[in-house]
Each structure stands twice: as structure tokens, then as C-alpha cells.
Amino acid sequence: MIGILDYNAGNLKSVESALENIEAKSMVITCPAQLSEISGLIIPGVGSFKTAIENLKAKGFTKEVISEFAKTKKVLGICLGMQIFYDSGTEEGLSEGLGFFSGKVDLLDKAVVTPHMGWNQIELRKSTRLTRGLGDKFDGYFAHSYRAYEQKDEVVGICSYTEDMPVIVAKDNIYGLQFHPEKSGNSGLKILRNFKEMCYENYTICRH
């Protein structure tokens, strides 16, 4: 079972539909106690960084709670869900993020049109289980005005929008996607299918 975190900042329905499309069982997670019922967690997001962090904390999903879950299970953040994995964000004023990845989330370069909306090409910098079978380049669907700055070893894929920016990141069991896989056609479904298989494999190992 894959959990979809509801913290009043997520696009739950489209993620649910995409998981149904790949025949993955899912449930909406509203409190930390439910984490024991799932083998993987998706954190979607639409809205502001500051509000998202406040909502997470109000529901009890602190960095420590998510870190504990990620010790043995997989976590995937989508769009804003990826951004809150960073140290800090400037939307609605500077606020502290979860700190799983180093760097700050700030506005896109002033020279580009915002929001970054629609299809754009993603280039993989290294291979991961999450991106298996996608080749070196594929297209993803974007809808965002903020991006992560500071490219480190965690960067798996980048997208060029006047400037290169990290759009796929991974560290241990935590993964982030700046684009929306649920709106990215077959490539997006492939990523979600890979995530499903990773969660299933992890569940099987834990059961034994």
C-alpha cells in the first residue's frame, strides 16, 4: 500500500488516479499513526513553502517522524513536496524546511517567464532505481515559480529553463521530483511504477 500524504497542500486526486492507472493500491494519510500501514509515502504539493511546512508540523509530520519512516521505507516528494525537503524556502518569507537536501528554494531567475508551466526536457545525470528504463532524456510536465538552488551529489536529473536546475534528487530512501509525474504521460507513469516496485520490494524484504 502506498500512502499519499494529505497536509492541505497536495494535489491528491491526480496522484490517486495515476496510482490506480498502474494498479497500485493507495490510501490517504492524515496522521503519523497511519504510517505503519503503508510501504511507501508520496508527498505531493501545490501552494507555498511556508504554509506547507506549517501544515506538516500541525499534523505531526516533523522531520524526525519522516526520517524514521524513511529508515526502512521509500518517500517521494512531488513539486512542492520536493521543495520542502530542502533546508529553507523564501516563499512568503524565509522559513525552515525539512533539511533532507542541502540548499535553499527561491524564485526562478528573473530573466525567465514564471511560472515555469508546461512540458520541458529532463536530462539524467546518473541512474537510480526510480528512473530505470527512461533513457538519458525524457519530457516532464512542470508548474512552478520556485526552484531549488545548490546542486550537490543528490542531483539525479536536471532541466534547462534558461539555467540548469535540479528536478530529480535522491538521497538514501528519499526522492524528489520538481515536475509532476502524474501529468507527465508514459514517462511519469514509468517513474511511479518504479516507485511502486521499490516499495513492494522493500515490503517483501521487511516481511521476511
Side-chain angles (χ1 to χ4, degrees):
M1 184 85 73
I2 295 175
I4 307 171
L5 185 57
D6 181 3
Y7 60 116
N8 301 323
N11 187 11
L12 304 183
K13 291 300 181 182
S14 60
V15 176
E16 282 182 304
S17 295
L19 291 177
E20 184 178 348
N21 188 301
I22 62 170
E23 299 181 339
K25 292 182 179 179
S26 66
M27 67 179 290
V28 175
I29 302 298
T30 59
C31 67
Q34 293 175 293
L35 294 176
S36 62
E37 302 177 45
I38 58 175
S39 53
L41 179 66
I42 293 178
I43 305 178
V46 177
S48 83
F49 189 105
K50 184 176 182 179
T51 300
I53 289 294
E54 290 174 350
N55 289 348
L56 276 178
K57 291 180 178 179
K59 286 178 172 284
F61 291 100
T62 62
K63 177 179 181 178
E64 291 72 25
V65 167
I66 298 174
S67 294
E68 185 64 28
F69 179 87
K71 285 181 179 179
T72 57
K73 300 175 182 179
K74 304 295 189 293
V75 180
L76 175 64
I78 297 174
C79 198
L80 179 61
M82 166 187 151
Q83 293 179 358
I84 60 176
F85 288 165
Y86 280 80
D87 290 326
S88 62
T90 62
E91 193 171 9
E92 295 186 343
L94 184 65
S95 55
E96 185 178 344
L98 294 175
F100 297 132
F101 300 110
S102 60
K104 178 190 291 186
V105 173
D106 204 349
L107 274 170
L108 289 164
D109 188 283
K110 294 179 180 179
V112 303
V113 175
T114 55
H116 175 205
M117 181 76 72
W119 294 88
N120 208 336
Q121 187 177 79
I122 296 161
E123 178 183 343
L124 294 182
R125 287 291 176 88
K126 56 184 173 181
S127 60
T128 64
R129 182 68 181 80
L130 186 69
T131 55
R132 181 182 293 179
L134 287 170
D136 295 332
K137 297 179 181 179
F138 64 95
D139 292 335
Y141 187 85
F142 292 83
H144 65 113
S145 297
Y146 287 74
R147 55 152 289 191
Y149 287 85
E150 188 87 15
Q151 297 198 25
K152 295 265 186 179
D153 293 339
E154 297 93 347
V155 178
V156 172
I158 64 168
C159 173
S160 180
Y161 189 57
T162 301
E163 55 186 357
D164 289 343
M165 56 185 168
V167 296
I168 307 176
V169 291
K171 183 178 181 181
D172 301 324
N173 283 333
I174 298 177
Y175 300 83
L177 306 174
Q178 180 59 74
F179 61 100
H180 290 269
E182 75 279 11
K183 297 180 180 180
S184 297
N186 290 333
S187 295
L189 291 178
K190 177 62 176 173
I191 288 175
L192 292 176
R193 191 174 288 110
N194 286 342
F195 184 71
K196 167 192 168 183
E197 292 172 357
M198 291 159 60
C199 293
Y200 177 78
E201 291 166 1
N202 187 79
Y203 175 75
T204 302
I205 291 171
C206 290
R207 292 271 291 182
H208 291 82

